[in-house]
Structure formats: structure tokens, C-alpha cells
Amino acid sequence: MKRDFLRLSDFTASEYTALFRRAAELKAARASGQIVRTLTAKTLLLLFEKNSTRTRLSFEAAIGQLGGTAITLPMQESQVSRGETLADTAAVASRYVDAIVYRTHGDDRLRELAKSATVPVINGLSDGGHPVQILADLFTVTERFGSLRGRIIAWVGDGASNMALSWIEAAPIFGFTLRISAPEGFRPPKAGIFETVNDPSVAVRGAHVVTTDVWVSMGQEKEAAERKRAFSGYCVDEALLGRALPEAIVLHCLPAHRGEEITAGVLDGPRSAVLDEAENRMHVQKALLEALLLRR
Ligand code: CP
Ligand code: NVA
């Protein structure tokens, strides 16, 4: 039976412990120049219906460094854009490759593809979540603070973005406190184990991590003006960060818009962990690919 990674609840807390341990090993191996070839002759297909820099690069590098090959197919160049079904695409692709990463819009499309694929499917970002990014974020927090349990994560900005939704899904699995500060109309659509804090400066008080996301996600371009107005009081700036713990770090999945959701001073400043966070995408995704392809 193949196993997918479409959302964070597809793995258990103890599986994540093993995954992060393996990601740390793979990170150390790469740092010391050790070659790891656990996925020799494996092929990973990447399907994109939205733009990408990190997801494409980190998965391509991950499979390549582990001895396998990546095939990247922007969906607008595929027969799907001329009406071929996702089901046929998934069934055919499964005859060629060992796993599929899919970046799409609605989660219904993700589930549809996963249903017809006989190889593991990984969510490479959908409207409902960005689980591989959150894995890198969580791993980055464990590197800095040793553990997630009992830490305070403050989310400032779009409380309904795919990133926010995945943070909400992660909170009960990993046992951290999640505070969400978002303007009315942009709060999480579903209940979960998080605190809603109206004032961002109250939300970040005592926080170990301050994190945010773009105000206009891919697919929301038409709402840009309205969103920029609504989020104007929700910029992660130096004053806001000054209210978090002195050892607090700043995370942002990138791409960022300096001067909108975050200032250049914070994003490029000493407390920003965004480059480690981006790098860690590759290490945790290597561990994830091993887990799904080798059933580790
Ligand atoms: N963070 C992230 O997923 O970046 P890309 O959109 O560049 O893949
Ligand atoms: N919320 C953003 C994340 C980009 C990686 C988007 O969906 O555009």
C-alpha cells in the first residue's frame, strides 16, 4: 500500500520524531561531505499549477543528492491544460515514477490525483495547507530551541492562509502554543487548538517564534488592494519583534514582500531564521522521501 503526505495529520508525532532525527543526520552528512545514496534509481515527479522557487529546487536537489532523478512538469505544459483528467495523468505517471509532488489550488484536486496515483503523493502547497514547509519550520524551531513542546508561536497576518492552516494542524501534534493575530474576515475558518489574539503586540509577548506570510497568496491577486488595506496593522516590524522573547526567531516561508507583511530590517536582521528555514526544506524532504519510498 502506498502512503501519501497530503496533510500533517498523515503522520504521527512519533513518526515526526524519527523524521526530524533522520533530517538532522542527512543535514550533518551533507555538511561533512558524506554522500548518501538511499534513493538511487528512484524518480520523483513534480507537478506545478502555481509558481515555485524553493519547493522545486529543494525537491530536485533532495532527490538528486540521494541518487535519484527529478522530472518537473509545469501543468500548463501538460495535457491536463487541454482537458486530460487528473486521474489519467496520475495513473500514467505512476507507471513511470516512484513518487509525485503536486502543487495545486483546491485540496479536492490534490485528493483526486492521490486517489488515482499508485505511488505516494506529497502536497507541495494547496489552498488548504503547505505541510512540507511547516515541517521545515518545525525542524528549524527544534534546532534553535531543542523541542517544540511548550514553545509559543505567534502568527501575525493572514490567519486563513495555507501556512496558517498548517500551523493550526501542527499545534496539537507537536504540543506548542499557537497564537493567531489576524484582522476580522481573515481569521482561521475552522476551530482548532489556538488562541485568537486581536492585538499583534499582545500576541507576540513571550513568543519564541514570530511568523507571518504574504498578504496576497497565489490565486488571490484580484483581492490585492482589499487585502493590503485589511492587513495594514499587521506588519512584523522591529517594534513588534521587540515585544517577543529576546531569543525569539522570525520565520517566513518566502517569498516575502518587504514593507508589507514584514520589514526589511526584520527579514534581513539577526533574528531572522529564514535562510535556515529555506535550507531545511531540503533536509526534511529528503527524510520524507526516504520515509515514503523506502517505508522507513
Ligand atoms: N516557500 C515556498 O514554498 O516557496 P516557493 O513558492 O518558492 O516554492
Ligand atoms: N501563502 C503563500 C505561500 C507561498 C509559499 C501562497 O500560497 O502564495
Side-chain angles (χ1 to χ4, degrees), residues 137-295:
D137 293 22
L138 295 167
F139 181 75
T140 307
V141 178
T142 61
E143 278 186 324
R144 296 293 179 113
F145 295 108
S147 74
L148 280 150
R149 195 151 291 280
R151 306 292 168 196
I152 299 174
I153 317 282
W155 174 274
V156 177
D158 185 358
S161 88
N162 40 20
M163 283 296 296
L165 299 180
S166 285
W167 274 110
I168 292 169
E169 210 185 344
I173 302 173
F174 292 88
F176 55 84
T177 296
L178 179 64
R179 294 190 196 139
I180 301 223
S181 190
E184 227 183 298
F186 299 95
R187 298 201 174 127
K190 280 193 262 175
I193 304 176
F194 59 87
E195 299 164 15
T196 304
V197 184
N198 292 341
D199 182 348
S201 65
V202 176
V204 303
R205 204 176 287 157
H208 298 83
V209 177
V210 178
T211 186
T212 185
D213 190 9
V214 290
W215 291 344
V216 184
S217 282
M218 291 181 277
Q220 298 172 336
E221 290 76 9
K222 283 194 186 126
E223 303 163 28
E226 176 207 339
R227 287 179 158 268
K228 284 180 192 175
R229 259 194 314 275
F231 290 117
S232 65
Y234 291 81
C235 175
V236 177
D237 59 16
E238 289 80 345
L240 191 69
L241 187 57
R243 294 173 182 273
L245 289 177
E247 66 270 32
I249 59 166
V250 174
L251 296 179
H252 189 310
C253 68
L254 306 176
H257 293 82
R258 290 171 177 79
E260 289 186 17
E261 76 277 4
I262 193 162
T263 60
V266 169
L267 191 74
D268 305 318
R271 294 161 80 182
S272 170
V274 300
L275 291 180
D276 287 341
E277 179 187 4
E279 179 189 330
N280 285 336
R281 288 286 304 268
M282 182 175 76
H283 306 303
V284 295
Q285 287 164 194
K286 281 182 180 175
L288 178 67
L289 289 170
E290 284 188 353
L292 294 175
L293 274 67
L294 307 176
R295 301 308 301 255

Side-chain angles (χ1 to χ4, degrees), residues 51-56 103 130 133 218 253-255 281:
N51 292 38
S52 171
T53 296
R54 278 144 292 272
T55 301
R56 177 174 179 170
R103 169 168 287 196
H130 197 0
Q133 176 69 54
M218 291 181 277
C253 68
L254 306 176
R281 288 286 304 268

Side-chain angles (χ1 to χ4, degrees), residues 107-120:
D107 287 60
D108 49 334
R109 291 180 69 73
L110 192 63
R111 285 190 293 269
E112 195 183 334
L113 185 106
K115 203 170 119 202
S116 300
T118 56
V119 297

Side-chain angles (χ1 to χ4, degrees), residues 47 73-84 89:
L47 299 174
L73 181 61
M75 283 293 236
Q76 74 274 13
E77 291 174 23
S78 78
Q79 297 289 9
V80 170
S81 69
R82 298 181 57 254
E84 186 168 18
T89 307

